[in-house]
Amino acid sequence: MTHKIPFDYDFLSGEDYVDTFVAYVNLSDKQIKESGDFIADGHFTGELVDLPGKVFDKIRDAILDDAYKMARKMKIGEQKGTGECLAPMEDV
């Protein structure tokens, strides 16, 4: 089974804060369990980089894809999504 999990991220244009948006990531039961096991094994700083590589890559890619779409929609040239220190939204 897969779960659609929201991750919020800040959108920056250059160094200027624009807004906070939400990107959704589909994670399988296996990926969620692996993430929980990884955290329980001592990787618990609260940063996304402290997740298994494949899970982190999936979340990062979803955030960057969403940020790119938002930049095009808002007609902003340079974009940078920051999500490394964020956790899934609580109201899932």
Side-chain angles (χ1 to χ4, degrees), residues 6-46:
F7 285 85
D8 58 351
Y9 66 93
D10 291 337
F11 187 94
L12 307 174
S13 178
E15 295 295 319
D16 299 324
Y17 171 81
V18 175
D19 207 344
T20 298
F21 298 100
V22 178
Y24 292 89
V25 181
N26 291 320
L27 296 177
S28 67
D29 287 335
K30 181 180 176 183
Q31 291 169 318
I32 292 170
K33 182 181 179 337
E34 287 173 354
S35 298
D37 292 345
F38 194 73
I39 292 166
D41 192 37
H43 303 91
F44 48 82
T45 65

Side-chain angles (χ1 to χ4, degrees), residues 70-87:
M70 294 309 296
R72 289 180 56 98
K73 186 176 182 178
M74 294 184 297
K75 297 183 173 49
I76 295 174
E78 180 184 346
Q79 71 276 347
K80 178 180 175 185
T82 61
E84 287 82 6
C85 297
L86 300 178

Side-chain angles (χ1 to χ4, degrees), residues 48-69:
L48 289 179
V49 294
D50 263 346
L51 291 174
K54 290 181 181 179
V55 174
F56 170 80
D57 290 346
K58 214 172 174 180
I59 295 167
R60 181 203 58 215
D61 292 349
I63 289 171
L64 291 176
D65 288 347
D66 196 73
Y68 178 75
K69 289 175 189 171

